[in-house]
Amino acid sequence: MNLYKRWTDMVVEYVKHHGEEAFWDKYSDIERRIYIKILASHKDTLSTTISDLAKEFETTPEFVMGFVDGINESLLESIDLETISEDSEVEFKIDFEKLYYNMLDAKADYLYELSQWEGIFSKEKRTEIHKAWKSSKTVVNENKVGRNDLCTCGSGKKYKKCCGK
């Protein structure tokens, strides 16, 4: 069984036996500690194996695989998760702007509020990324219905006499 499959199976079993909250407490602690290291040395590309990273952060290769799964879409070169093993050399070439955006999208305030971001982006840049993220979530209706236009529901009545009441 590959490491990615072991990770997904482990999540299911962990949640079954310990609960979802316990899983997220444990996983987010591991994830936060790894991100602190990566963000603190953001000018260097982290290159390591899954097992070495697991030893360094005193966790299992499965939890590290979860981290790799989470950061994968923020990497400049994504990793084929199905082929990775504990002894695979992984290189984290990170698009930090995309990573910050994805952390906002995941509502991971325990990650995007880390003080290590200050060494990467200015407060203004982080605010700019946050505004871009917010605007991507805002739906703008381009077709404004006037009071005297036909109702959009298809009734044939004027909007003010139908759905606009």
Side-chain angles (χ1 to χ4, degrees):
M1 180 183 325
N2 70 32
L3 185 57
Y4 183 71
K5 176 81 169 116
R6 286 183 10 223
W7 152 245
T8 57
D9 290 348
M10 186 272 301
V11 171
V12 171
E13 287 303 310
Y14 198 98
V15 169
K16 252 190 235 178
H17 292 90
H18 305 287
E20 192 171 338
E21 188 175 332
F23 167 77
W24 284 111
D25 286 346
K26 183 170 177 111
Y27 176 74
S28 58
D29 175 61
I30 294 163
E31 185 180 39
R32 185 184 56 75
R33 290 186 292 130
I34 296 173
Y35 273 119
I36 287 172
K37 175 186 175 151
I38 288 175
L39 297 175
S41 58
H42 67 278
K43 291 181 181 169
D44 303 323
T45 299
L46 177 63
S47 188
T48 185
T49 64
I50 299 291
S51 57
D52 287 345
L53 208 52
K55 284 177 198 160
E56 183 178 347
F57 290 97
E58 300 172 349
T59 189
T60 65
E62 290 80 11
F63 271 109
V64 173
M65 184 66 216
F67 169 78
V68 174
D69 185 17
I71 197 172
N72 200 27
E73 64 183 58
S74 300
L75 298 177
L76 296 172
E77 298 170 18
S78 63
I79 298 168
D80 183 0
L81 301 176
E82 297 290 333
T83 62
I84 200 168
S85 72
E86 292 177 34
D87 299 322
S88 298
E89 186 79 21
V90 289
E91 194 170 47
F92 297 102
K93 292 180 182 176
I94 303 166
D95 178 341
F96 286 99
E97 197 166 320
K98 192 171 184 182
L99 177 62
Y100 191 81
Y101 185 94
N102 289 338
M103 287 176 174
L104 290 167
D105 205 35
K107 296 176 179 60
D109 56 335
Y110 64 97
L111 296 175
Y112 66 76
E113 290 177 353
L114 288 170
S115 61
Q116 286 76 11
W117 280 109
E118 294 168 14
I120 300 171
F121 297 129
S122 65
K123 177 80 172 144
E124 293 78 22
K125 180 66 175 175
R126 292 191 311 270
T127 302
E128 178 187 316
I129 297 168
H130 193 264
K131 283 181 182 177
W133 171 77
K134 256 185 163 175
S135 69
S136 75
K137 302 297 172 202
T138 306
V139 177
V140 179
N141 188 357
E142 304 258 337
N143 302 329
K144 188 171 179 179
V145 180
R147 289 175 33 82
N148 291 315
D149 293 340
L150 290 177
C151 190
T152 56
C153 76
S155 67
K157 297 179 182 179
K158 288 186 178 183
Y159 180 74
K160 68 181 177 186
K161 298 278 186 179
C162 190
C163 294
K165 271 187 174 179

